[in-house]
Amino acid sequence: MESVAKRIERLRNEIHRHNWLYYVENRPEISDQAFDRLLKELERLEAQHPELITPDSPTQRVGGQPLAGFRAVEHTWPMLSIDNTYDRNELAAWYQRVLRGLKIQPSAGEGGLFDRGDGVDLVLEPKIDGVAVSLRYEDGQLVLAATRGDGRRGDDITTNARTIRAIPLRLMPDDGMPRLVEVRGEVYMTQEEFQRLNHQRIDQGLEPFANPRNATAGTLKQLDPRVVASRHLRFYAHGRGHLDPDPYRRHSEFLAAAKRWGLPVNPHTRQVSSLDEAWKYIEEFERYRAELGYLVDGVVVKVDRYDQQEQLGATSKAPRWCIAYKYAAEQATTRLRDVTWQVGKGGTLTPVAELEPVFVAGTTVKRASLHNVDEIRRKGVRIGDVVVIEKAGEIIPQVVRYVEDQRPRHTKAIEPPARCPSCGTPTVHLEDEVALRCVNPDCPAQLRERLIWFAGRDQMDIEGLGDKMVHQLADAGLLHSFGDIYALPQKRDRLLELERMGAKKADNLIRAIEESKSRGLARVLAGLGIRHVGTRTAAILAQHFGSIDALVEAGQEQIAQVDEIGPVTAESVYKFLHHESGRQVIRELREAGVKLTEPRQAKAPVKSPFAGKTIVLTGSLESFDRKTLTDRLESLGAKVTGSVSKNTDLVIVGESPGSKLDKAHELGIETWDEAQLLEALKKTS
């Protein structure tokens, strides 16, 4: 037994060491196959001697059972957001504020930057486009991993974090290592893994992820840790939380210690002694960041000394001692070959630029958005032009402009189609709209888009019924109506005849379809593609009427009297429900056994600071997406609307707010930033 125990311990230490060499030092000594052989030997010995298994063994990364859910945990130190800038002069202005805050007289250099050391050392780190997490180690053992959440509380994702090989389950012994270590960092997905995962999802008929960050966030929310393990996430440490004791005087010292403990620290992190050096690094790093294999959208600049960080302090939202310099969206030039017109679920025709393939921001782009006819005219783009494209947020390709001095002699104007490219119905241009429309409710392209929308995550959430699967089923003659979705479980044999449709994939799709029947009226109404009816309006109607029968029986004026609905939406809903095609959809769903009622929700607590208030959101928030925050506020009794008026009580302002903030100031309406919002939400929890 003693020799077996020693062999097991030796294997564990060797595996920990090879993980450290691979993820921290970036100099592996053995092949993946040799590493797997070590792991399999350890698994075999532990299976024979289960009494020798310990929680920090490399074999214990993946738990056996899916989680029931995620519990919320408080961060010992808040995980604040970081202010950012895209401008060189704003970076210099931030540095000037730092010097003033430290009572240091600046020595101005050329161009408003500072070319001489001012006693403020800086640490520069790549700003990885991932998901922020906090790891807590006690006596070197990983005991907690949590997402950032709202900055004060996050989700306990320890079980999922244990599956990430770059996150050590136990820290390597080191003299002076604190008993308690909280380290902050970024979980991310490489572009290679992102492409592999999306190809896999497409093969399974699932919606591909939009970008690696979304894929990472979605993976960390998985209840089954085996799924997380299969997606090969990575991790880099970039900061500290609470340490006990805390012997470190500088951020650079802490990062060096973290690396000794076996925590990966980005090798492109650099310490400099002036802003001039920092700027040179930012310019240099931009040239090779695309070669890293993971998405980096900027450089984080931090004051190195902790005593200076404490002296500078923080606002309610972000520390004053750091800033993120973000690079402008990557652009490329290519030729516009043609323009095609896509028909949306509501009949809107959207122009799509067909391009000569060009590599930009990590992917090859063949198509890009032209938005609408007015935008085409404003930009003056013609078929045959050399055009500049960029990815908005490095995600969605769009045409920015044409290159005037490279315009060929024979270009062709982009003419809006007189007829729908799908059904041939004459297109219409309504007076109050920019878009062209096909008004044929039986248009095949519209129907397919409506079915894709119906199955979407925020509607009926039918996993596996994405756009590619809808088109495949429609092409095979299996999907021509909403009712056909619910007939698919009886056509399993036909499903198995489809290309790339195995038994497991078919069964998963059938199960998802059956589960969707119980979603309720609000989800159904949101999924029907009725003009002016999104998730919020659908929920209001479902709550007010309680059943589809009551809604059908209501007159147009009665619907319009419902709070927040109004005459335009009421007309749209009434017409849909009383048109033959709308009545047919309801009949099909009823016959399929889809739930067409909605339970009434309890009213929000009277003590909620949001109860009875009309709230408008503007700009992007670090801690919430728009839908999640809207749902949270409405659950606390608020009414969230899309425009500022004299009836608005509060405007919540995020990054890059639009004209709604100007309107709020004009009307004297109270505004909150994200920190005030988080503080108020904390009091309601």
Side-chain angles (χ1 to χ4, degrees), residues 206-228:
L206 303 176
E207 285 289 322
F209 287 110
N211 55 70
R213 187 190 186 284
N214 283 6
T216 301
T219 299
L220 290 176
K221 291 179 181 178
Q222 290 288 322
L223 295 177
D224 189 344
R226 291 168 296 188
V227 174
V228 185

Side-chain angles (χ1 to χ4, degrees), residues 320-377:
R320 295 188 180 94
W321 44 264
C322 71
I323 193 168
Y325 181 89
K326 299 188 74 172
Y327 297 115
E330 187 175 334
Q331 294 184 336
T333 57
T334 186
R335 193 167 300 280
L336 176 60
R337 289 175 166 175
D338 200 0
V339 172
T340 56
W341 296 79
Q342 287 185 342
V343 185
K345 68 181 188 299
T348 300
L349 272 63
T350 302
V352 177
E354 305 291 342
L355 308 166
E356 289 182 358
V358 61
F359 192 78
V360 57
T363 59
T364 299
V365 174
K366 299 178 182 178
R367 312 178 85 207
S369 175
L370 282 165
H371 302 293
N372 54 57
V373 175
D374 282 5
E375 190 72 0
I376 290 171
R377 290 171 179 158

Side-chain angles (χ1 to χ4, degrees), residues 549-623:
D549 294 327
L551 182 56
V552 170
E553 290 172 6
Q556 185 172 322
E557 290 185 4
Q558 187 180 350
I559 298 172
Q561 290 171 0
V562 176
D563 193 27
E564 294 188 54
I565 299 301
V568 175
T569 301
E571 180 183 15
S572 181
V573 172
Y574 185 85
K575 283 185 175 179
F576 178 90
L577 294 175
H578 291 82
H579 191 278
E580 177 52 36
S581 60
R583 289 198 295 266
Q584 177 64 23
V585 170
I586 300 303
R587 279 196 298 270
E588 291 175 358
L589 297 179
R590 194 191 303 276
E591 290 169 3
V594 175
K595 182 180 177 183
L596 298 174
T597 59
E598 189 78 15
R600 302 295 174 91
Q601 295 178 354
K603 291 188 176 180
V606 175
K607 293 183 180 179
S608 163
F610 304 100
K613 288 190 175 181
T614 299
I615 298 175
V616 172
L617 311 178
T618 182
S620 58
L621 297 169
E622 181 78 19
S623 306

Side-chain angles (χ1 to χ4, degrees), residues 15 35 41 68 111 120 244 269 322 466 530 648 667:
I15 290 169
F35 181 89
E41 182 185 353
V120 181
D244 185 18
T269 299
C322 71
I530 305 171
T648 303
L667 296 175

